[in-house]
Amino acid sequence: MIPLMKNAFFREYETRKALSEFILQADPLSMGRRCLEFEKTFAKWQGRSQAVLFNSGGSANLALMQALRNLGRLGQGDKVGFSALTWSTNVMPVLQMGFTPVPVDCEPSLLNVSSRNLEARIREVGLKALFLTNALGFTGDLEAIRDLCREAGIVLLEDNCESLGTELPSGRTGNFGLASTFSFFVAHHMSTIEGGMAATDDDELADMLRIVRANGWDRNLSAVKQRMLRKRYNVSSELQAKYTFYDLGFNFRPTEITGFLGLFQMKFLDENTRRRERNHLQIEKVLRGNEDLIPIAHGHISRLSPFALPVLCRSERLKEHYLNQFSGAGIEVRPIIAGNIQTQPFYERYVEERFDLPGTVFVDRCGFYCGNYPELGESDIDLICSCLLKDGDP
Ligand SMILES: Cc1ncc(COP(=O)(O)O)c(C=O)c1O
């Protein structure tokens, strides 16, 4: 059996052991020093000046939308584009903040939004922001997408929850727009059990993210920022300051366990993503030799950090065939992300307008994925490869 994921952590036993020892001696366990250290280490690794840790990727997404709303950079009814092939809590925050969601179709061979599809959508609908998802470790032509957004004055945001570590010649995914989000849920590249991050080079946005993360108060801002805020609102005493709530927020705080695990797992992150890339390249040799299947293009990506192994078939009939091969071999599979988000019940309930999304519909009908993680052994890879052979091939 090859499950979608095997372990909760890279180097499972070592991590669990270190975690148990940490829990025995750590005080406090609520958000503190280790969360801060993890934020700094992550920001440096990612190549951003600021990183704000959250209790999940979904809350990082919601906090990012709330922060942009609080700052007045996005307002009620503003049209926010998003990748039609994405996760529920990428688009739900767009609705929750009162923005208008506009799906942008994905290009099947990229599994992602392309600049061509974005350009077509912009011609049709003026967008204020684009919350792009980099799906399954792959991405579209991000440089061209960034240029298009710049020219059209669109705020580019990246949901990089599935593509931690993927790099293009001009930089890491997650560094192409104003801000980006990451997930550290167990099934993702790097796990803190539950956890998420928002990264940006914009200090004002980072401060607002910290306000949104914790009840709307200023306790996690620098002393200088606190002074400025307290002066603006005539908050004169420390006691009053502790219970002053400046803007709309939530409680999305992580714990010291999140911080500890993040710091521990970061040590292995490069090895973790390198193994995923190696697995992919090995399996892809077989996949490329089978004309029933459409390989996902990554020639524009200099370092691939796959989240899973997508299998895209040329027809629904072929998908049935390969699904049977996989399930017969005991390999667990699932649909590609959430399929066409426009057909999800929550979307049908809250959004009236529909767009043609032929690429996304095709991926939903003809694609599926199985796991690709560092723990896959040679025999696992051989088994996956054997299921990707065309009938009659040796
Ligand atoms: C693209 C994308 N965005 C957001 C999330 C939410 O992350 P989390 O599960 O940490 O809330 C996921 C989760 O799978 C995801 O795939």
Side-chain angles (χ1 to χ4, degrees), residues 317-333:
R317 191 186 57 75
L318 286 168
K319 175 181 167 180
E320 281 313 307
H321 169 72
Y322 288 97
L323 272 180
N324 286 337
Q325 303 264 88
F326 274 68
S327 53
I331 304 171
E332 194 182 359
V333 296

Side-chain angles (χ1 to χ4, degrees), residues 31 62 85 146 217 271 277 299:
M31 188 173 82
L62 181 52
L85 193 68
R146 176 182 54 196
W217 64 33
E271 185 189 348
E277 182 178 42

Side-chain angles (χ1 to χ4, degrees), residues 55-61 85-90 131 133-136 159-162 181-188 193-196 307 334 337 369:
N55 57 6
S56 77
S59 29
N61 282 352
L85 193 68
T86 188
W87 186 244
S88 58
T89 55
N90 168 276
F131 196 8
T133 296
N134 297 314
L136 299 187
D159 179 332
N160 206 43
C161 288
E162 296 186 0
T181 55
F182 301 81
S183 166
F184 308 128
F185 178 57
V186 278
H188 289 240
I193 311 175
E194 294 277 7
F307 176 91
R334 53 158 285 176
I337 324 187
Y369 76 65

Side-chain angles (χ1 to χ4, degrees), residues 191-239:
S191 156
T192 61
I193 311 175
E194 294 277 7
M197 193 77 89
T200 181
D201 293 324
D202 184 307
D203 290 351
E204 186 188 38
L205 178 58
D207 283 339
M208 187 51 81
L209 284 164
R210 292 190 176 97
I211 290 173
V212 170
R213 175 178 62 180
N215 309 311
W217 64 33
D218 72 358
R219 292 192 200 181
N220 307 109
L221 303 189
S222 68
V224 177
K225 297 282 171 55
Q226 285 176 339
R227 267 200 300 279
M228 282 162 56
L229 208 52
R230 291 171 191 185
K231 195 166 167 218
R232 194 180 335 143
Y233 289 95
N234 284 324
V235 178
S236 49
S237 76
E238 189 60 32
L239 192 65

Side-chain angles (χ1 to χ4, degrees), residues 302-361:
S302 48
R303 176 92 186 265
L304 188 65
S305 174
F307 176 91
L309 180 84
V311 178
L312 189 57
C313 307
R314 293 199 187 269
S315 69
E316 282 180 74
R317 191 186 57 75
L318 286 168
K319 175 181 167 180
E320 281 313 307
H321 169 72
Y322 288 97
L323 272 180
N324 286 337
Q325 303 264 88
F326 274 68
S327 53
I331 304 171
E332 194 182 359
V333 296
R334 53 158 285 176
I336 296 193
I337 324 187
N340 171 11
I341 219 85
Q342 273 194 154
T343 61
Q344 290 285 351
F346 83 89
Y347 201 89
E348 289 184 337
R349 176 163 180 202
Y350 291 104
V351 189
E352 269 173 27
E353 198 172 14
R354 293 286 170 273
F355 288 86
D356 263 353
L357 301 167
T360 308
V361 169

